[in-house]
Amino acid sequence: MNSEQELAARAEKLGLANIKRHIFLCCDQTKPKCCDHKQGMASWDYLKERLDELGLTNQGDIYRSKVNCLRICQSGPIAVVYPDGVWYHSCSPAVLERIIQEHLIQGEPVKEYMII
């Protein structure tokens, strides 16, 4: 198998063609500024476990990525959902649950926590 075939197989295994939304969570900063590292990682662990629990990842419609910094550096953890381009602040586990239920599943952004 050549590298192009390996790449296609990996994309298929991850279900990339099925992804409707992708949430990026700023939570594992080298130098934490928007929230402390422990708080950020607690939010990441919640997001990861909850999306898996709901069957939204691994061949589901939602993809998630832990990022080092989204450059807002205030009121974190910060998240952004694509392709919608909606940015969120204060992404505690409780806020992430609302984002999962209202935005990722139902398609309605959570205005209370939106930056833009």
Side-chain angles (χ1 to χ4, degrees):
M1 189 180 290
N2 66 34
S3 63
E4 192 173 301
Q5 291 169 323
E6 289 174 6
L7 181 59
R10 184 159 181 83
E12 184 177 340
K13 181 179 177 185
L14 291 170
L16 297 184
N18 301 324
I19 294 171
K20 291 186 175 69
R21 290 193 172 85
H22 189 156
I23 183 168
F24 297 82
L25 184 66
C26 177
C27 60
D28 196 10
Q29 306 89 343
T30 305
K31 294 180 182 179
K33 294 179 184 175
C34 70
C35 67
D36 72 39
H37 187 262
K38 185 176 179 180
Q39 178 186 7
M41 292 309 295
S43 289
W44 170 252
D45 290 341
Y46 181 84
L47 178 65
K48 186 170 83 168
E49 290 171 17
R50 189 69 174 125
L51 290 176
D52 288 346
E53 185 178 282
L54 293 170
L56 297 173
T57 56
N58 299 324
Q59 302 297 324
D61 294 347
I62 309 299
Y63 208 68
R64 57 173 166 69
S65 292
K66 173 174 57 173
V67 298
N68 180 284
C69 183
L70 289 171
R71 300 179 63 194
I72 301 291
C73 302
Q74 182 177 340
S75 302
I78 301 297
V80 60
V81 176
Y82 281 106
D84 307 323
V86 176
W87 290 71
Y88 292 105
H89 66 85
S90 307
C91 293
S92 66
V95 171
L96 286 168
E97 183 63 30
R98 288 197 54 201
I99 293 168
I100 291 166
Q101 295 298 324
E102 296 173 34
H103 189 164
L104 299 181
I105 294 174
Q106 297 176 19
E108 293 295 325
V110 183
K111 292 182 179 166
E112 182 179 345
Y113 295 97
M114 284 176 58
I115 298 170
I116 58 168

